[in-house]
Amino acid sequence: MGETAAEASSAHLMVDLIISLDGYASAVGWPGWWGLEGPEYLAWLQQEGEKGYTFLLGANTYRLMSGMSEEAAAEGAGFSEDEGATLTGLAAVPKVVFSSTLRAPLTWPNSELVTGDAVKAVAEMKRTGTGPLSTLGSLSLCRSLLTAGLVDRFRVVVFPVITGSTGRERIYDGYPDVSLKMVESRTFDGRLQLLEYIPTVLRGPPGNGPA
């Protein structure tokens, strides 16, 4: 068997990422969501926000998303109505932030700071928790949790752009080899592709067997 989360775990963990076709999380000069978010995708994001996830994130993502959420709540913000609702809604959901540089209390509502080892903390959350967990951005955190075998689902939404010149934050650098069993796929707005998998961490190519 591969390094998947223990079946007895009561808290399901989802790694949830958005990527360009060539595997970047963002690109210099491009707007958020590469400017390609549409009504179906934004409506789905709102539905996902109502599923009771506790979001896991690192310090950089915390700073970025809390700032965007605060900006979206301000009068005259440059976000669309759907974008603003998605961003401001994040203030109401529970969030756990893993950081050795941030200091409590965190200003973004419903945010708990954990300064210790993230992998150990999430393993304990999965052992004792009763609700679903999902990452929010935080590429290094996602990589660490996947490598540790704590991830139950690995989900990406692929945006149809190649940002070879401007792409930043390569998502898969430093990952182990992972086999992926598809459990769901969906297209939003005729252009964005959701892919959801059960991950199994491997020692190397499939002939070497699971880790």
Side-chain angles (χ1 to χ4, degrees):
M1 297 294 292
E3 282 191 5
T4 55
E7 292 182 1
S9 180
S10 59
H12 179 99
L13 172 58
M14 169 94 71
V15 159
D16 197 12
L17 299 167
I18 62 172
I19 66 171
S20 65
L21 186 61
D22 53 342
Y24 288 99
S26 62
V28 175
W30 290 70
W33 291 308
W34 293 273
L36 294 172
E37 73 281 6
E40 289 181 5
Y41 178 60
L42 292 171
W44 174 79
L45 285 178
Q46 184 174 355
Q47 293 167 5
E48 285 295 293
E50 297 170 354
K51 290 185 176 180
Y53 287 109
T54 294
F55 288 101
L56 313 179
L57 57 157
N60 290 338
T61 299
Y62 171 84
R63 293 185 182 101
L64 174 66
M65 297 304 297
S66 62
M68 292 176 65
S69 179
E70 182 178 353
E71 181 183 352
E75 188 173 346
F79 298 101
S80 70
E81 182 177 349
D82 287 332
E83 288 173 326
T86 299
L87 289 168
T88 56
L90 287 172
V93 301
K95 298 168 288 290
V96 178
V97 184
F98 300 95
S99 174
S100 61
T101 58
L102 295 173
R103 294 292 178 263
L106 298 177
T107 57
W108 202 10
N110 300 298
S111 297
E112 174 189 352
L113 178 63
V114 174
T115 58
D117 182 86
V119 168
K120 291 181 179 179
V122 173
E124 182 65 11
M125 292 172 68
K126 285 176 61 64
R127 188 184 71 83
T128 62
T130 57
L133 307 171
S134 177
T135 58
L136 182 64
S138 309
L139 301 187
S140 61
L141 175 64
C142 294
R143 182 173 60 245
S144 297
L145 297 176
L146 181 70
T147 301
L150 295 175
V151 177
D152 301 288
R153 291 290 188 274
F154 190 87
R155 184 169 70 185
V156 297
V157 176
V158 182
F159 285 69
V161 295
I162 295 173
T163 53
S165 296
T166 58
R168 295 294 183 271
E169 299 180 293
R170 286 179 58 86
I171 287 179
Y172 302 124
D173 286 355
Y175 267 56
D177 285 6
V178 184
S179 69
L180 299 168
K181 177 182 177 182
M182 183 178 286
V183 292
E184 185 178 352
S185 64
R186 179 177 174 182
T187 301
F188 299 110
D189 304 297
R191 57 182 178 267
L192 311 182
Q193 187 68 48
L194 178 147
L195 304 169
E196 184 175 332
Y197 303 95
I198 297 173
T200 300
V201 178
L202 304 174
R203 294 191 184 95
N208 293 337

